[in-house]
Amino acid sequence: MAHIQVPEGLPGIRGPMAFSPETARPLNELANALLQTDDGLSRAERELIATYVSSQNDCFFCQTIHGAVASHYWGDENGEFVKAVKNNYGVTTISPKLKALLAIAGSVQKGGKHVTPEQVQEARGQGATDKDIHDTVLIAAAFCMFNRYVDGLATWAPENPDLYKFRATKIAEYGYTADDHYMPK
């Protein structure tokens, strides 16, 4: 049961967003600005960063929905690729650049001051631009906030992976919104 009275049946971040539409709009705009672009990092890479940070924060709803979106973009039908990245990205087939950026994202998840000059240099050495590094840090920081918003209010999250797959296709088509096509109940 959520810590506050949110509309029943709305999973994860949907409940608090329905509770507070005045904050839902800018939060969705932020998610769209961070994740719904291929400027520098691809949408697939951006969603994978969000998924990884959410998994490090142990936010079930966020890592599952963003993992489903990442899987959608990566063509990872069964989710095994995304699961492998969450478990140990260092041994996966992602690019060395993305591995270096995930190391930065993981440091941001612990606290912004955990990012080291060596991590930034490694990312640059693997081809990351200043924009890539900026966006990685911002995505990681934003998802720490989103994760704490969802879990801090003890929101409900469905277990059925098919619901997340359904929503992933809608996100790919419409972006992040608080509309009713968000997720079936």
Side-chain angles (χ1 to χ4, degrees):
M1 176 179 231
H3 292 310
I4 63 172
Q5 189 65 41
V6 296
E8 195 170 316
L10 295 178
I13 204 166
R14 288 241 14 247
M17 285 188 167
F19 177 84
S20 180
E22 63 275 7
T23 57
R25 187 183 53 74
L27 289 173
N28 279 313
E29 288 173 357
L30 178 60
N32 283 320
L34 295 175
L35 303 175
Q36 291 291 299
T37 181
D38 289 305
D39 183 19
L41 299 171
S42 70
R43 290 175 190 215
E45 291 168 323
R46 291 166 181 277
E47 289 287 351
L48 204 53
I49 292 166
T51 302
Y52 178 71
V53 169
S54 298
S55 73
Q56 294 301 293
N57 284 325
D58 194 28
C59 181
F60 178 80
F61 179 80
C62 293
Q63 71 177 292
T64 306
I65 187 57
H66 292 283
V69 178
S71 289
H72 176 83
Y73 287 137
W74 287 92
D76 176 29
E77 185 62 33
N78 63 8
E80 290 301 314
F81 170 72
V82 169
K83 183 178 178 183
V85 169
K86 290 190 311 184
N87 289 334
N88 184 0
Y89 64 82
V91 299
T92 66
T93 60
I94 61 173
S95 70
K97 176 179 119 176
L98 187 54
K99 288 177 184 178
L101 292 172
L102 285 175
I104 291 171
S107 290
V108 171
Q109 181 271 331
K110 292 178 182 107
K113 293 180 181 180
H114 289 265
V115 177
T116 67
E118 293 81 14
Q119 288 176 315
V120 172
Q121 190 58 37
E122 174 64 19
R124 284 190 177 122
Q126 296 299 336
T129 65
D130 283 353
K131 174 123 175 78
D132 296 337
I133 294 164
H134 168 274
D135 288 359
T136 296
V137 169
L138 186 53
I139 291 165
F143 272 83
C144 286
M145 176 195 64
F146 287 129
N147 299 159
R148 284 157 180 77
Y149 184 43
V150 168
D151 287 342
L153 291 173
T155 65
W156 164 77
E159 297 284 329
N160 184 345
D162 292 336
L163 298 176
Y164 295 96
K165 283 184 178 183
F166 170 82
R167 176 58 184 142
T169 63
K170 297 301 181 184
I171 289 169
E173 185 175 350
Y174 299 108
Y176 289 91
T177 70
D179 295 340
D180 285 340
H181 63 262
Y182 188 86
M183 187 177 271
K185 294 179 184 174

